[in-house]
Amino acid sequence: MSNIKPSLAKGTRDFSPVEMVKRNYIYDTIKKVFRKYGYAEIQTPSMENLSTLTGKYGDEGDKLIFKILNSGDYLAKVDPELLSSKNSNAMISSISEKALRYDLTVPFARYVVMHQNEITLPFKRFQVQPVWRADRPQKGRYREFYQCDADVVGSDSLLNEAEFILIYQEALSNLGLRDFSIKINNRKILTGIAEIIGKPDLIIDMTVAIDKLDKIGFEGVTKELLSKGFTEADIDVLKPVILLEGSNDEKINQLKAVLSGSEAGLKGIAEIETVFNYVASLAGAGLRAEIKLELDITLARGLNYYTGCIFEVKTNEVAMGSIGGGGRYDDLTGMFGLKGLTGVGVSFGADRIYDVLLELNLFPESASAGTKVLISNFDAAAEAYALPLLQALRQAEISAELYPSSAKLKKQMSYADDKNIPYVILIGSEEMESGLLTLKDMKSGVQEKLGIDAIIDMLQDKGL
């Protein structure tokens, strides 16, 4: 048998120890904020029944679901006529009962329905797990990637929306980001805009076009709207709304005037005002000044899905798409027969946040991989002397290791360099006699003689 060259499945990645420490730093920072706001972690299986996922993401989404072949002789039960037709799509229900999850939202809806007698409403959960999509891999798009979601179901209070704004503000600030905008809109405002121009049935076409404003400009939006059945008169009404400027209060006042004839539109404006008022009450003056919360009428993400407020977060420090988003949905669990359960949720784009922190050099020194101290090993006597020191470091919660066998200094130093270990303790006969160990700072090259207790105090002071 010939040796097969190892390779990764297309659209997947390995994460090195260095990357994992940085990724966990992001997740741990975000999770800490979720917990602070009363959200509890759940996990759902990597695979779901195919019937759970099918029909929840539209025809295009269904094509991207990774199906899992039934175990054993999966063709044995297939109708011979189907088999001879070689139509794999028609055979799916016979050969595949399970699939890898496509997102965290549908499994969450299934979880809520199945556990409805155990959970307390409103139910606040967060989830950080991988999802899989049979997409065409390209730069920044993978077939396996992680989602980082928080949702609350069973509450229609707009306090939840306001708290998600504060969660974004706190988590991203804790990660070191300083200049980012939290954009907010409301599906009902978009419905109202479509109503006042008498084209409620064209709301999807209208919002898809408006959503492209920053990419194709007003001229491009106009051209697209005209091609979809809108008139010049419609565009005259839309123009001041699409190009809305000023403070949030000024935008709200302009929208109230334009949407005075739309009940849905005015309800959407009232919801936005309520969220702003909650944020103002919760945040206090100092934090209020920091939050860049912006009413953006062109924001139209997930329109088929969201029914109320819509969020999107963008960093202004790096050229990057959105690093977070979400919104209010009125019937998440309806797909599984539990009607009328409203919810609101947000997601953090952890992979994009990783790229932003990397580009801005915002990962702290503590988010470097693994071992903080290496103890040298020159001979059996030094090894025996080092073992209790190694234990003392670990008992002080300092990540430490002893070079596993006696070796020349150069080899041990290369090992420390390759692993980015910041400190090395050198133990020779002199150190064993005096009890003062030689601590070498690998970055500066500076060496000093210290007792083990002093070394532990110094490393703890540095947060290592």
Side-chain angles (χ1 to χ4, degrees), residues 248-381:
N248 289 330
D249 287 341
E250 287 165 345
K251 288 178 183 175
I252 284 169
N253 289 332
Q254 290 174 66
L255 283 171
K256 280 179 179 174
V258 174
L259 297 175
S260 58
S262 166
E263 191 182 332
L266 291 175
K267 191 170 189 318
I269 295 166
E271 288 183 7
I272 291 280
E273 285 187 296
T274 302
V275 172
F276 285 171
N277 289 335
Y278 272 133
V279 170
S281 298
L282 286 164
L287 185 55
R288 259 202 319 275
E290 282 178 38
I291 299 175
K292 287 186 178 164
L293 181 58
E294 181 191 336
L295 174 56
D296 184 352
I297 296 306
T298 67
L299 176 59
R301 57 182 292 131
L303 194 70
N304 296 327
Y305 183 71
Y306 296 125
T307 52
C309 287
I310 311 164
F311 302 106
E312 189 164 272
V313 185
K314 289 198 169 179
T315 172
N316 304 314
E317 296 174 86
V318 173
M320 180 73 65
S322 68
I323 56 171
R328 164 77 60 176
Y329 40 78
D330 275 345
D331 199 17
L332 173 74
T333 53
M335 61 180 91
F336 298 117
L338 183 59
K339 295 284 182 190
L341 201 60
T342 185
V344 57
V346 294
S347 183
F348 282 80
D351 286 306
R352 284 183 173 176
I353 292 170
Y354 182 100
D355 291 342
V356 171
L357 298 190
L358 208 57
E359 191 169 328
L360 296 173
N361 198 25
L362 288 175
F363 283 107
E365 219 172 286
S366 59
S368 59
T371 307
K372 305 306 177 193
V373 189
L374 174 70
I375 303 178
S376 68
N377 186 346
F378 295 121
D379 53 37

Side-chain angles (χ1 to χ4, degrees), residues 377-387 406 432:
N377 186 346
F378 295 121
D379 53 37
E383 180 178 284
Y385 186 87
L387 290 173
S406 60
M432 286 188 274

Side-chain angles (χ1 to χ4, degrees), residues 18 202 218 225 243 246 286 290 299 316 326 340-341 343 347 357 382 449 459:
V18 172
L202 292 181
F218 184 70
L225 288 170
L243 302 178
E290 282 178 38
L299 176 59
N316 304 314
L341 201 60
S347 183
L357 298 190
K449 298 261 187 178
L459 295 175

Side-chain angles (χ1 to χ4, degrees), residues 41 58-60 77 93 130 165-166 179 263 286 346 359 382 407 459:
E41 185 168 17
D59 291 342
E60 287 309 303
K77 295 178 183 174
S93 58
I165 289 165
L166 297 183
D179 185 7
E263 191 182 332
V346 294
E359 191 169 328
L459 295 175

Side-chain angles (χ1 to χ4, degrees), residues 23 43 52 66 85 105 135 149 236 268 294 301 424 433 440 464:
R23 289 175 71 83
Q43 290 200 342
T52 299
F66 270 113
S85 74
T105 306
D135 222 339
D149 290 7
D236 286 341
E294 181 191 336
R301 57 182 292 131
V424 175
E433 280 171 32
K440 179 167 183 171
L464 297 178

Side-chain angles (χ1 to χ4, degrees), residues 53-331:
L53 304 179
T54 306
K56 311 302 189 300
Y57 309 106
D59 291 342
E60 287 309 303
D62 279 355
K63 289 175 190 169
L64 300 182
I65 295 171
F66 270 113
K67 287 85 176 174
I68 299 170
L69 289 174
N70 293 341
S71 54
D73 187 358
Y74 58 88
L75 288 176
K77 295 178 183 174
V78 180
D79 184 288
E81 273 185 44
L82 265 182
L83 207 53
S84 62
S85 74
K86 295 184 178 178
N87 183 343
S88 57
N89 286 332
M91 275 191 268
I92 286 294
S93 58
S94 304
I95 63 175
S96 173
E97 292 166 7
K98 295 175 186 66
L100 294 176
R101 63 167 170 252
Y102 177 91
D103 71 355
L104 299 178
T105 306
V106 170
F108 173 52
R110 179 209 37 85
Y111 177 94
V112 170
V113 174
M114 287 186 69
H115 296 267
Q116 59 186 291
N117 296 325
E118 302 154 35
I119 62 178
T120 302
L121 294 177
F123 181 54
K124 301 168 87 167
R125 86 80 169 89
F126 72 87
Q127 211 170 335
V128 179
Q129 286 186 277
V131 299
W132 294 267
R133 294 183 188 177
D135 222 339
R136 190 169 63 84
Q138 51 189 285
K139 185 174 167 54
R141 181 177 289 177
Y142 301 95
R143 287 176 168 172
E144 178 187 66
F145 57 96
Y146 278 72
Q147 288 190 336
C148 182
D149 290 7
D151 291 78
V152 50
V153 292
S155 167
D156 58 9
S157 170
L158 293 163
L159 176 61
N160 298 305
E161 277 85 338
E163 289 201 332
F164 276 132
I165 289 165
L166 297 183
I167 284 171
Y168 271 133
Q169 182 68 31
E170 188 167 338
L172 295 174
S173 296
N174 289 354
L175 287 168
L177 296 181
R178 289 290 166 262
D179 185 7
F180 54 90
S181 302
I182 303 168
K183 295 173 183 284
I184 186 170
N185 195 11
N186 194 296
R187 162 70 194 254
K188 297 180 181 79
I189 293 175
L190 294 167
T191 301
I193 294 166
E195 280 177 5
I196 59 161
I197 56 173
K199 300 260 189 334
D201 51 326
L202 292 181
I203 181 171
I204 302 294
D205 291 326
M206 180 191 83
T207 49
V208 165
I210 290 173
D211 202 31
K212 297 175 185 172
L213 182 68
D214 58 345
K215 294 186 187 80
I216 60 177
F218 184 70
E219 214 173 285
V221 172
T222 300
K223 199 179 288 183
E224 187 163 325
L225 288 170
L226 290 171
S227 73
K228 297 290 185 184
F230 290 84
T231 65
E232 292 283 2
D234 294 336
I235 287 160
D236 286 341
V237 177
L238 282 172
K239 186 175 181 178
V241 177
I242 295 172
L243 302 178
L244 207 56
E245 285 185 339
S247 67
N248 289 330
D249 287 341
E250 287 165 345
K251 288 178 183 175
I252 284 169
N253 289 332
Q254 290 174 66
L255 283 171
K256 280 179 179 174
V258 174
L259 297 175
S260 58
S262 166
E263 191 182 332
L266 291 175
K267 191 170 189 318
I269 295 166
E271 288 183 7
I272 291 280
E273 285 187 296
T274 302
V275 172
F276 285 171
N277 289 335
Y278 272 133
V279 170
S281 298
L282 286 164
L287 185 55
R288 259 202 319 275
E290 282 178 38
I291 299 175
K292 287 186 178 164
L293 181 58
E294 181 191 336
L295 174 56
D296 184 352
I297 296 306
T298 67
L299 176 59
R301 57 182 292 131
L303 194 70
N304 296 327
Y305 183 71
Y306 296 125
T307 52
C309 287
I310 311 164
F311 302 106
E312 189 164 272
V313 185
K314 289 198 169 179
T315 172
N316 304 314
E317 296 174 86
V318 173
M320 180 73 65
S322 68
I323 56 171
R328 164 77 60 176
Y329 40 78
D330 275 345
D331 199 17

